Amino acid sequence: MRSSSGFRVTAMLCALLLAGAACTGNKGKGDDVDIRSEADVTRQVQQYAEQTATAVGSTLTNAAASSAPCEGRAGELSEDIYYVQGTYQLPLAPDKHLATLARIRDQWRGQGYTITEDRTFPDSAEGTVAAKTPTDGYRISLESTSPPTMLALLIHSDCYRSPQPR
């Protein structure tokens, strides 16, 4: 039996938050982390969201972006090393979910993204596709809600060092 959309979206958010806390992007932690302002990273997250919404043919709703400290090599947290996560919903007719997810997967693959998840759920018109961007290591996930009236979009940046102590 499939879980409800609230549970699935919550579980997906928790998984991304845990991944973010571990700061598992391309960059290491500490001195080798790129320096970038939180505003710049948030703008990049928003840009990926807008590009995805355009490709889906929908609009972004319930948008939220926030930052959190990344975890260092020894498990330490630093307010100066952070990641940004954006969460969005994209309204989409139920009969368009699987075709749209397949089209987005193919588009991302064509843009050089690494597809990290691509699956459909048995006996439903629901699925998920996730990828990692080639240039900056951002992770993007697009998943059907249940019932499939929306696509949940999650975008997670790599870890960055703030240019100004926070």
Side-chain angles (χ1 to χ4, degrees), residues 101-122:
L101 290 170
R103 184 170 42 79
I104 296 299
R105 176 205 59 223
D106 293 345
Q107 180 179 345
W108 285 348
R109 190 174 283 140
Q111 293 173 314
Y113 290 27
T114 301
I115 304 301
T116 57
E117 184 175 17
D118 177 20
R119 61 189 171 113
T120 57
F121 302 111

Side-chain angles (χ1 to χ4, degrees), residues 45 48-49 84-86 88 138-141 153-157:
V45 166
Y48 281 127
V84 173
Q85 179 174 282
Y88 311 85
Y138 284 39
R139 289 164 300 286
I140 305 174
S141 174
L153 173 62
L154 302 170
I155 302 172
H156 184 271
S157 80

Side-chain angles (χ1 to χ4, degrees), residues 2 4 7 11 18 20 31 37 41 47 50 63 69 82 89 98 105 116 118 127 142-144 150-151 153 160:
R2 298 239 318 126
S4 71
F7 176 78
L18 289 173
D31 293 335
S37 74
V41 176
Q47 183 177 6
E50 290 168 2
Y82 67 94
Q89 290 183 340
L98 294 180
R105 176 205 59 223
T116 57
D118 177 20
L142 195 59
E143 181 172 348
S144 300
M150 305 257 182
L151 292 175
L153 173 62
Y160 293 97

Side-chain angles (χ1 to χ4, degrees), residues 8-22 24 85 154 156:
R8 283 193 28 228
V9 170
T10 300
M12 205 163 57
L13 285 171
C14 288
L16 280 172
L17 286 172
L18 289 173
T24 58
Q85 179 174 282
L154 302 170
H156 184 271

